[in-house]
């Protein structure tokens, strides 16, 4: 199993541009999550999904959108990028049958200038 | 509501000495608790988890944690620090059970001196 994979690893955006961060998991987990981690801080939940076709907002959803058309994929869309969205983005997945332990991807480091 | 507090933002130890990273939690029900480690510029890796079985939980790389309900604590320990243990450590508590959401502490930076 590859686990949770994220692309790209790094990206630089100009203010106002848009992009999609990709996340894929091959563990057949129903639950998936997007977090952002700012320097020296913990993780903040952006959006989450409990299954294909079901998504919901987390703690900091403004400026982001998600979709979940398949169990495996959970892309995060940034519209009109702003410097405040400069961060490291982590995708994770979990399953109730595994005690909700979340498996994390390697992260995407995004800089908006 | 669930919450977690890591009592130290930075801990410094010498190589070969014990490690103690402190974590208190608040939960309205019996929670699941986790410790994750993040090495510089890396993703998060699970060290250990408590899910209402044995209160003393053993994890990877010699780490262990004890769930103390009376003290609402879940401190992480290791008898002897290694240079490779230098990293950021997150104490995490389960949130709502029907979403699998986790609540992260702010993190503790562990520095290991030679």
């Amino acid at each position: 199993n590859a686990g949770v994979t994220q692309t790209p690893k790094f990206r630089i955006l100009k203010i106002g541009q848009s992009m999609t961060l990709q996340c894929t998991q091959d563990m057949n987990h129903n639950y998936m999550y997007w977090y952002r981690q700012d320097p020296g801080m913990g993780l903040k939940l952006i959006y989450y999904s409990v299954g294909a076709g079901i998504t919901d907002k987390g703690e900091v959803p403004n400026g982001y959108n998600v979709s979940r058309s398949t169990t495996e994929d959970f892309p995060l869309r940034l519209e009109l990028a702003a410097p405040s969205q400069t961060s490291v983005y982590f995708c994770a997945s979990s399953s109730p049958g595994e005690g909700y332990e979340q498996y994390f991807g390697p992260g995407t480091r995004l800089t908006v200038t | 509501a669930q919450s977690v507090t890591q009592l130290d933002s930075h801990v410094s130890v010498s190589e070969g000495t014990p490690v103690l990273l402190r974590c208190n939690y608040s939960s309205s029900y019996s929670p699941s608790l986790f410790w994750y480690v993040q090495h510089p510029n890396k993703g998060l890796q699970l060290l250990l988890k408590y899910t209402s079985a044995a209160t003393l939980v053993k994890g990877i790389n010699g780490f262990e944690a004890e769930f103390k309900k009376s003290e609402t604590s879940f401190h992480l320990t290791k008898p002897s620090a290694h240079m490779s243990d230098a990293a950021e450590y997150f104490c995490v508590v389960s949130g709502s059970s029907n979403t699998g959401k986790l609540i992260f502490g702010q993190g503790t930076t562990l520095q290991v001196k030679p």
Side-chain angles (χ1 to χ4, degrees), chain B residues 38-105:
Chain B
Q38 184 180 30
H39 287 93
N41 299 313
K42 299 290 186 184
L44 278 76
Q45 179 185 17
L46 181 71
L47 270 181
L48 50 79
K49 65 180 177 183
Y50 165 79
T51 54
S52 76
T55 56
L56 182 62
V57 182
K58 294 189 184 299
I60 62 172
N61 299 334
F63 284 94
E64 62 182 39
E66 186 170 8
F67 173 72
K68 292 187 176 180
K69 186 175 181 179
S70 60
E71 299 176 11
T72 61
S73 69
F74 190 57
H75 302 334
L76 182 70
T77 60
K78 183 174 180 178
S80 176
H82 192 274
M83 295 297 292
S84 61
D85 294 328
E88 189 80 10
Y89 291 80
F90 293 98
C91 183
V92 183
V93 65
S94 56
S96 166
S97 60
N98 62 351
T99 64
K101 289 197 287 186
L102 300 180
I103 311 298
F104 284 77

